[in-house]
């Protein structure tokens, strides 16, 4: 046996980029702990980090390709797999056109250096316009707002959580999720620091979440009414003559237009609809204005809903008109060492709706179509129909709206491939599964999450363990398919270029390159390097043609009548009287971490939270087995009666439902739960951005069996 060694790397499961210290001996991991010397996470880690060992050791994780045959799944060589896949793709594209092949990209792509770099050339080589991804079940409204207000979809303002005096969190539960579009390891510690320095944290959520319990104030809001709250707060700011552009004077267009747009949305006018009193709305707006610095941060609950687009626009607008933008303690732009916008020239916004989906005419944006339309695009015959699909690191059968219907659509495809590490609810429909290396077998550098980070830091880790001769990385898989599918030959020296070569070049050309930042420097500093807190940088970073912020892009003012229509509709649907929302759990990450025994042990957490008054009215006892139904389908789930949830609203976890035949994740199947996305509805989207409305699904509840 060789000596015990130590390896440092960032955890790549969620967005928080926690630094880890891993002790190992030969190819055996001995322990995983937070790295106290990581300048950003300072020793913090959540319970999921240790599961990196489980994913590495998981005997059910695929390591070489498998092919579906009449006699079940069979091993196939990489060469045979690549030959078959590229022949089939070419034949299908030859017969039906390039766009007959679609791609679905899932969340772990953003956590993998190779995928982050090579998906772009991969898409180009396939020549299809039909890209779908988890972005349209997640954060598309943020990108649309940044595109139109600041000139680039990837220019995301993040809360300066470490210096703010007042943090308003709408529809996010960062104490559990550890933040999203806000990379901030140890959010709970950072929120408590706000309080320790005399500041305040306010949470707006239909559920009393863990974050709400830590906060100084929690306001229950009716689902999907956040845009009205934000409009009323902005109304109050204007009415109190409290507009203060701070550093942004002469840098913001259309402040007057905003004032006239919000004039109809007084706190009194919206209070009844949103479930927060006019006095509370006014007080919240006043406190926000009077705080030395303040920031409004709105996330999943305010993005994956029917007004997600408006919410993200108004969040930015509130920060801007109160002097809390591009300034300490407000919303600020990171300056990442690997700058995704390095080549983005001013005045080159993505055009919106340059194409629309064939069936429902939803907009194309940022190179993709909304995933809520994928099933119908596969199932509706006619010119442009999708006949073939490749999924890369995604599980849309569990993660997309009406996932069970998407599964049905997959059975009609002529040919499907999945680049994935498990035989799961989605990949079981593939003809061939190509598994890449994962987690500790990969190099780690967070291109995306450094772009959303609350502090500028930089860190690279090489793979902890070299892959075996039989394994391929996702990067190699993508590069091989690209080389074979591309119409224009890719030069030999670029076909297998290592991610590190590109990383090194970008670091040297990036904002800290002149100060000597390079891959070598990162290798010499395995705990990472702290660059410092976020700095005002609007003038350098903004990408609008004239360098000014567009406060009221037309697409948003055009969308307000849709919101007004809600205010005249009855609050409740008689057939489906409850609003279903999702929740995240500390010990699971989306749909794929549940094959780790240490993460799924104990009581089944996939339960439905019901308010005591609703439970009493329907005769539901704690622990009762319920049937929940929506227009999309029905599932059975155990009730937990709690006043942590607002009356009229019910909540269940997302990412579950591992109970399906033909999958091979036997630990996950011991605690399968049910899929929330068998209830969500592809027809519920934010029509402005195309993002799925996964929160606020109208449902009904029926007792199957009470727990007496
Ligand atoms: N109702 C409801 N639905 C939701 C949400 C919600 O809040 N409510 N949340 C949404 C959000 S925010 C997101 S991001 C999406 C996520 O949606 P998806 O990205 O579709 O789902 P994941 O669970 O992240 O699936 C990851 C897949 O990648 C595989 N995988 C893991 N690691 C690797 C790797 O290193 N390489 C490869 N090739 N594959 C890998 C896993 O086996 C799994 O199949 O779900 C969305 N769906
Ligand atoms: N442990 C863990 N961490 C994760 C993940 C995970 O699965 N598990 N997933 C990661 C991913 S991919 C993402 S995108 C992030 C997401 O990070 P967050 O956005 O922080 O995650 P959620 O827990 O989905 O928070 C959404 C909140 O919105 C509330 N909500 C629902 N509907 C509404 C509404 O209409 N209005 C308002 N105001 N609130 C509403 C819900 O009650 C919930 O508290 O988390 C990441 N981190
Ligand atoms: S918070 Fe996220 S990045 Fe940090 S250890 Fe947990 S899963 Fe990993
Ligand atoms: Mo996400």
């Amino acid at each position: 046996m060789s000596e015990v060694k130590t390896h440092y790397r960032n955890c790549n499961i969620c967005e928080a980029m926690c630094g880890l210290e891993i002790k190992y001996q030969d190819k055996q991991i001995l322990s995983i702990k937070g790295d106290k010397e990581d300048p950003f996470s300072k020793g913090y880690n959540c319970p999921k980090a240790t599961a990196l060992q489980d994913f590495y050791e998981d005997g059910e994780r695929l390591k070489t390709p498998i092919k579906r045959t009449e006699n079940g799944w069979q091993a196939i060589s990489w060469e045979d797999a690549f030959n078959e896949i590229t022949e089939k793709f070419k034949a299908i594209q030859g017969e039906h056109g390039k766009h007959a092949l679609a791609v679905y990209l899932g969340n772990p792509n953003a956590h993998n250096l190779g995928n982050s770099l090579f998906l772009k050339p991969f898409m180009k080589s396939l020549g299809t316009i039909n890209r779908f991804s988890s972005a349209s079940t997640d954060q598309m409204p943020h990108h649309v707002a940044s595109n139109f207000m600041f000139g680039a979809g990837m220019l995301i303002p993040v809360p300066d959580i470490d210096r703010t005096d007042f943090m308003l969190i709408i529809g996010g539960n960062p104490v559990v999720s550890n933040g999203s579009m806000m990379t901030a390891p140890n959010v709970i510690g950072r929120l408590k620091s706000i309080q320790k320095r005399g500041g305040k944290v306010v949470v707006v959520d239909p559920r009393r979440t863990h974050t709400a319990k830590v906060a100084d104030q929690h306001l229950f809001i009716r689902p999907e009414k956040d845009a009205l709250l934000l409009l009323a707060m902005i109304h109050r700011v204007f009415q109190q003559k409290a507009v203060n552009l701070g550093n942004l004077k002469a840098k913001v267009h259309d402040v007057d237009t905003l004032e006239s747009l919000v004039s109809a949305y007084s706190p009194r006018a919206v209070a009844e609809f949103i479930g927060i009193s006019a006095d509370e709305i006014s007080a919240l707006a006043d406190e926000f204005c009077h705080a030395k610095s303040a920031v409004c941060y709105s996330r999943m609950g305010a993005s994956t809903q029917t007004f997600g687009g408006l919410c993200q626009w108004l969040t930015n607008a509130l920060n801007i008109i109160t002097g809390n933008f591009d300034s300490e303690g407000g919303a600020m732009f990171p300056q990442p060492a690997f700058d995704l916008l390095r080549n983005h020239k001013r005045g080159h916004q993505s055009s919106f709706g340059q194409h629309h989906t064939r069936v429902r005419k939803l907009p194309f944006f940022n190179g993709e179509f909304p995933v809520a339309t994928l099933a119908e695009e596969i199932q509706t015959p006619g010119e442009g129909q999708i006949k073939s699909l490749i999924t890369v690191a995604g599980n849309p059968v569990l993660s997309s709206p009406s996932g069970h219907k998407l599964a049905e659509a997959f059975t009609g495809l002529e040919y499907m491939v999945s680049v994935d590490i498990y035989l799961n609810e989605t990949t079981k429909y593939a003809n061939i599964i190509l598994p890449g290396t994962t987690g500790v077998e990969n190099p780690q550098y967070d291109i995306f999450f450094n772009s959303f980070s609350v502090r500028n830091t930089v860190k690279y880790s090489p793979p902890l363990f070299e892959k075996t001769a039989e394994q391929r990385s996702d990067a190699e898989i993508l590069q091989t398919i690209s080389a074979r599918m591309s119409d224009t030959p890719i030069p030999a020296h670029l076909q297998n270029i290592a991610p590190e070569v590109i990383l090194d070049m970008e670091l040297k050309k990036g904002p800290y390159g002149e100060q000597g930042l390079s891959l070598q420097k990162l290798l010499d500093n395995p705990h990472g390097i702290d660059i410092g807190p976020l700095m005002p940088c609007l003038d350098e970073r903004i990408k609008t043609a004239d360098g000014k912020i567009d406060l009221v892009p037309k697409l948003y003012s055009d969308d307000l009548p849709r919101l007004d229509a809600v205010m005249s509709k009855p609050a409740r649907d008689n057939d489906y009287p409850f609003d279903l929302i999702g929740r995240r759990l500390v010990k699971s990450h989306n749909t794929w971490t549940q094959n780790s025994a240490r993460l799924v042990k104990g009581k089944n957490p996939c339960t439905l939270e019901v308010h005591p008054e609703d439970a009493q009215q329907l005769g539901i006892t704690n622990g009762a087995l319920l049937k929940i139904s929506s227009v999309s389908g029905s599932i059975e789930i155990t009730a937990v009666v709690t006043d942590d949830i607002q009356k009229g609203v019910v909540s269940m976890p997302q990412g579950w439902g591992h109970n399906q035949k033909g999958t091979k994740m036997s630990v996950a199947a011991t605690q399968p739960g049910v899929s929330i996305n068998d209830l969500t509805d592809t027809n519920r989207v934010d029509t402005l951005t195309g993002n799925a409305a996964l929160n606020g699904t109208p449902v009904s509840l029926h007792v199957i069996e009470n727990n007496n």
Side-chain angles (χ1 to χ4, degrees):
M1 276 247 174
S2 61
E3 60 181 314
V4 174
K5 292 185 185 153
T6 309
H7 170 86
Y8 301 100
R9 65 166 39 234
N10 276 355
C11 174
N12 71 317
I13 298 173
C14 87
E15 300 178 35
M17 304 198 308
C18 299
L20 303 179
E21 178 193 281
I22 305 180
K23 298 267 186 219
Y24 68 102
Q25 192 169 32
D26 296 321
K27 283 209 146 192
Q28 175 68 40
I29 292 176
L30 303 175
S31 68
I32 301 181
K33 289 198 300 208
D35 174 8
K36 292 199 175 71
E37 288 180 59
D38 181 290
F40 193 24
S41 60
K42 298 185 174 156
Y44 175 85
N45 69 289
C46 87
K48 289 186 293 303
T50 43
L52 283 172
Q53 175 176 4
D54 305 343
F55 308 140
Y56 172 64
E57 291 173 355
D58 189 345
E60 287 179 328
R61 173 161 68 89
L62 301 170
K63 299 211 171 115
T64 50
I66 53 172
K67 174 178 168 156
R68 187 156 47 84
T69 71
E70 280 172 6
N71 303 316
W73 289 92
Q74 304 212 325
I76 174 174
S77 75
W78 285 101
E79 189 54 24
D80 288 349
F82 286 129
N83 284 341
E84 175 180 314
I85 290 166
T86 47
E87 264 170 40
K88 289 277 187 189
F89 282 169
K90 282 181 184 171
I92 289 168
Q93 289 190 316
E95 188 180 343
H96 304 286
K98 291 268 189 195
H99 309 318
L101 171 62
V103 181
Y104 173 84
L105 306 177
N107 169 278
N109 285 300
H111 298 267
N112 178 317
L113 175 64
N115 304 40
S116 304
L117 293 174
F118 298 123
L119 277 169
K120 210 170 162 187
F122 172 75
M123 285 307 304
K124 194 166 169 228
S125 78
L126 300 182
T128 173
I129 195 174
N130 275 317
R131 188 179 99 193
F132 301 82
S133 86
S134 54
S136 58
T137 54
D138 186 345
Q139 81 282 6
M140 201 52 102
H142 294 254
H143 297 306
V144 173
S146 286
N147 182 61
F148 286 99
M149 302 180 81
F150 318 126
M154 284 304 291
L155 191 56
I156 302 287
V158 301
D160 186 12
I161 187 171
D162 291 341
R163 289 180 295 187
T164 196
D165 299 287
F166 190 99
M167 185 152 175
L168 170 59
I169 301 174
I170 303 181
N173 185 11
V175 168
V176 169
S177 68
N178 262 290
S180 178
M181 310 305 276
M182 170 180 76
T183 286
N186 191 11
V187 168
I188 190 164
R190 290 173 202 266
L191 292 178
K192 285 185 174 164
S193 296
I194 298 178
Q195 295 165 326
K196 273 190 213 134
R197 56 181 184 264
K200 187 167 174 183
V201 179
V202 180
V203 169
V204 175
D205 199 299
R207 182 168 173 261
R208 189 184 296 117
T209 59
H210 197 150
T211 309
K213 287 175 187 171
V214 169
D216 300 274
Q217 186 184 4
H218 170 223
L219 296 163
F220 281 106
I221 189 170
R222 305 292 322 157
E224 305 196 286
K225 302 294 184 285
D226 308 274
L228 290 168
L229 169 67
L230 287 160
L231 283 162
M233 287 180 72
I234 294 173
H235 174 106
R236 173 79 181 181
V237 174
F238 279 108
Q239 194 229 345
Q240 294 290 299
K241 309 224 174 310
V243 171
N244 158 27
L245 291 180
N247 304 332
L248 302 180
K249 278 198 193 83
K251 292 185 191 168
V252 185
H253 289 294
D254 291 335
V255 178
D256 296 346
T257 316
L258 184 66
E259 179 169 16
S260 63
L261 276 180
V262 299
S263 62
Y265 304 93
S266 65
R268 197 181 296 262
V270 306
E272 187 197 336
F273 298 98
I274 73 176
I276 302 176
S277 74
D279 286 348
E280 284 171 316
I281 299 171
S282 299
L284 182 61
D286 294 351
E287 272 194 275
F288 195 91
C289 291
H290 297 145
K292 205 163 113 236
S293 67
V295 67
C296 177
Y297 162 72
S298 62
R299 199 45 201 105
M300 279 292 287
S303 301
T304 51
Q305 56 145 291
T306 40
F307 299 104
L310 287 175
C311 286
Q312 293 309 329
W313 162 56
L314 292 165
T315 298
N316 289 335
L318 178 64
N319 289 328
I320 291 166
I321 62 161
T322 54
N324 290 303
F325 199 85
D326 195 41
S327 66
E328 267 188 35
M332 301 184 81
F333 294 125
Q335 178 54 272
F338 185 134
D339 185 0
L340 287 165
L341 298 173
R342 188 168 64 78
N343 293 320
H344 190 120
K345 296 202 173 57
R346 279 191 175 182
H348 284 255
Q349 270 125 316
S350 276
S351 65
F352 190 74
Q354 171 190 16
H355 311 283
H356 287 89
T357 57
R358 209 167 46 103
V359 180
R360 221 189 309 170
K361 312 288 175 231
L362 284 177
F364 180 83
F365 177 73
N366 237 10
E368 63 186 72
F369 290 114
V371 72
T373 68
L374 179 54
E376 69 208 26
E377 292 297 323
I378 294 172
Q379 290 180 310
T380 310
E383 176 87 25
Q385 184 182 4
I386 291 170
K387 301 278 188 182
S388 184
L389 175 73
I390 177 165
T391 68
V392 185
N395 190 2
V397 167
L398 294 191
S399 70
S400 298
S402 300
H404 57 313
K405 295 188 182 165
L406 190 57
E408 205 179 286
F410 288 168
T411 63
L413 288 166
E414 284 183 20
Y415 192 70
M416 176 168 158
V417 175
S418 289
V419 181
D420 206 287
I421 55 172
Y422 284 112
L423 175 52
N424 65 17
E425 303 71 25
T426 292
T427 62
K428 72 173 189 171
Y429 294 98
N431 296 83
I432 289 183
I433 306 177
L434 300 173
T437 50
T438 193
V440 296
E441 297 165 334
N442 284 337
Q444 179 64 14
Y445 181 96
D446 284 282
I447 295 183
F448 289 105
F449 304 111
N450 278 300
S451 307
F452 309 146
S453 179
V454 301
R455 195 173 173 91
N456 292 317
T457 62
V458 54
K459 178 163 174 173
Y460 165 82
S461 346
L464 166 57
F465 299 125
E466 284 305 321
K467 61 183 163 59
T468 60
E470 295 77 42
Q471 283 182 291
R472 298 283 182 278
S473 66
D474 280 349
E476 290 168 307
I477 294 170
L478 297 174
Q479 285 173 310
T480 306
I481 298 178
S482 303
R484 294 180 184 211
M485 290 299 293
S486 185
D487 287 337
T488 43
I490 298 176
H493 71 285
L494 292 180
Q495 280 186 20
N496 302 309
I497 191 167
E500 284 84 349
V501 174
I502 304 176
L503 175 62
D504 187 45
M505 183 197 78
E506 287 292 338
L507 292 173
K508 287 174 177 160
K509 288 191 176 173
Y512 314 109
E514 280 182 10
Q515 296 148 40
L517 193 63
S518 66
L519 183 65
Q520 188 55 50
K521 183 142 185 204
L522 297 188
L523 286 167
D524 295 341
N525 291 274
H527 301 287
I529 299 173
D530 185 37
I531 294 172
L534 305 185
M535 302 290 282
C537 57
L538 180 87
D539 293 337
E540 301 99 83
R541 302 283 286 153
I542 195 160
K543 301 293 178 187
T544 50
D546 62 1
K548 294 185 182 174
I549 293 173
D550 194 354
L551 191 61
V552 189
K554 187 172 174 306
L555 79 168
Y556 294 109
S557 43
D558 287 353
D559 201 33
L560 285 173
R562 193 168 63 92
L563 185 66
D564 299 340
V566 168
M567 288 171 70
S568 57
K569 266 204 308 213
R572 284 270 163 269
D573 178 324
N574 287 337
D575 292 336
Y576 301 107
F578 293 91
D579 294 326
L580 172 68
I581 62 171
R583 68 174 188 266
R584 286 182 149 72
L585 306 173
V586 172
K587 288 196 182 168
S588 62
H589 183 82
N590 296 342
T591 77
W592 70 272
T593 53
Q594 287 91 329
N595 218 39
S596 157
R598 82 180 90 199
L599 293 184
V600 298
K601 66 173 184 235
K603 249 170 118 182
N604 187 347
C606 193
T607 55
L608 187 79
E609 292 186 348
V610 185
H611 188 272
E613 286 176 36
D614 294 326
Q616 197 184 20
Q617 207 179 358
L618 295 180
I620 297 171
T621 59
N622 199 28
L625 182 66
L626 303 181
K627 178 175 170 186
I628 328 179
S629 307
S630 73
V631 294
S632 275
S634 298
I635 54 177
E636 293 180 9
I637 192 166
T638 305
V640 169
V641 178
T642 167
D643 68 0
D644 280 347
I645 192 79
Q646 191 180 36
K647 192 169 172 313
V649 182
V650 289
S651 146
M652 68 174 281
Q654 61 95 25
W656 293 76
H658 302 280
N659 50 355
Q660 305 190 3
K661 257 205 223 130
T663 59
K664 197 164 180 232
M665 291 174 77
S666 49
V667 177
T670 59
Q671 203 179 78
V674 278
S675 175
I676 188 173
N677 287 320
D678 289 350
L679 297 170
T680 53
D681 177 5
T682 50
N683 287 315
R684 293 187 71 252
V685 294
D686 171 31
T687 46
L688 191 148
T689 62
N691 205 84
L694 300 169
N695 288 304
T697 307
V699 293
S700 63
L701 306 183
H702 299 279
V703 178
I704 297 175
E705 198 184 337
N706 256 326
N707 179 29
N708 294 314

